[in-house]
Amino acid sequence: MKKNLIIIFCGLLLLTVALIVGTPFEFLNPTVDRIATCLLMLLIILVFIFLFILAHKIEKRTIKRIITGLICILAIPYLLNGICKIMIIDCPMWEDLSIYTNKDGEKVISQRRELIIHDYRDRRIIGDFGQFRISFDCDRRKLKGLWTEYNIQRNTTTIINFDEEYKENKK
């Protein structure tokens, strides 16, 4: 029973972190992105089924109900997200707007996607492999120092001092 509880709590922790952080993988090809999204959804469904099976094996009725309740509570946001992904057949891809690079070679990409309204995000690039990227969400307002901004739409490059830019915005 202890082994099952440990596995269940590790699974719940992993699913909670994945829900908060999101996936670090970006596929720039729409077809590959759609296939990867479907495979990820299938994997998440299998993890939930596995957790429900383990919860069902717990002998103490009170603990079984608590664990099942926790799994159900965590499944709700995944279910809603999955329904949205299935209903939006032509889900728009994230479009790169600007690439920021500092002197150390770190890269941050500003992205946008058009749904009913525009959705924006900034991602810190860990690895770029052509049609595949590993990146994490970041807050561009926390960038410090000089960065080179390459605006993809205008095909222009400018130097931005984020320290000065945020001093001006705070006034």
Side-chain angles (χ1 to χ4, degrees):
M1 181 171 123
K2 286 183 181 182
K3 179 182 172 187
N4 287 350
L5 283 175
I6 291 171
I7 293 171
I8 290 170
F9 282 117
C10 287
L12 289 174
L13 180 67
L14 177 74
L15 288 168
T16 303
V17 168
L19 188 63
I20 294 168
V21 175
T23 179
F25 307 113
E26 289 183 80
F27 297 94
L28 304 180
N29 181 318
T31 305
V32 174
D33 182 64
R34 192 61 151 166
I35 291 170
T37 300
C38 291
L39 289 175
L40 186 61
M41 288 170 61
L42 180 64
L43 177 66
I44 290 170
I45 290 169
L46 291 175
V47 168
F48 273 111
I49 291 170
F50 179 69
L51 291 178
F52 277 117
I53 290 170
L54 286 180
H56 184 68
K57 290 181 181 180
I58 295 174
E59 295 170 4
K60 293 188 179 183
R61 194 172 184 174
T62 309
I63 295 175
K64 182 189 291 190
R65 286 185 178 176
I66 291 170
I67 296 297
T68 304
L70 287 173
I71 295 170
C72 288
I73 288 170
L74 186 59
I76 291 170
Y78 276 103
L79 180 66
L80 294 174
N81 190 13
I83 290 171
C84 288
K85 292 229 187 253
I86 290 170
M87 289 181 71
I88 301 174
I89 302 297
D90 190 23
C91 187
M93 297 276 300
W94 287 98
E95 175 188 356
D96 295 347
L97 298 176
S98 297
I99 302 172
Y100 298 93
T101 310
N102 70 2
K103 65 180 179 194
D104 298 329
E106 293 179 86
K107 286 186 178 183
V108 173
I109 293 185
S110 290
Q111 297 177 318
R112 168 186 77 187
R113 80 176 159 187
E114 294 183 32
L115 295 167
I116 296 169
I117 59 172
H118 292 313
D119 190 11
Y120 294 92
R121 72 178 183 181
D122 295 308
R123 307 274 290 178
R124 185 174 297 273
I125 303 300
I126 307 301
D128 193 347
F129 309 101
Q131 290 295 312
F132 172 71
R133 221 174 8 214
I134 300 173
S135 62
F136 291 98
D137 285 340
C138 75
D139 187 358
R140 191 174 66 191
R141 294 176 295 193
K142 293 184 179 179
L143 297 179
K144 303 258 187 251
L146 293 174
W147 288 71
T148 303
E149 176 192 18
Y150 173 66
N151 187 311
I152 295 169
Q153 293 174 336
R154 292 188 209 134
N155 196 20
T156 58
T157 303
T158 55
I159 303 293
I160 295 179
N161 186 346
F162 281 105
D163 297 332
E164 295 297 320
E165 183 175 309
Y166 293 118
K167 282 182 188 176
E168 291 175 11
N169 288 338
K170 287 182 181 180
K171 290 181 182 179

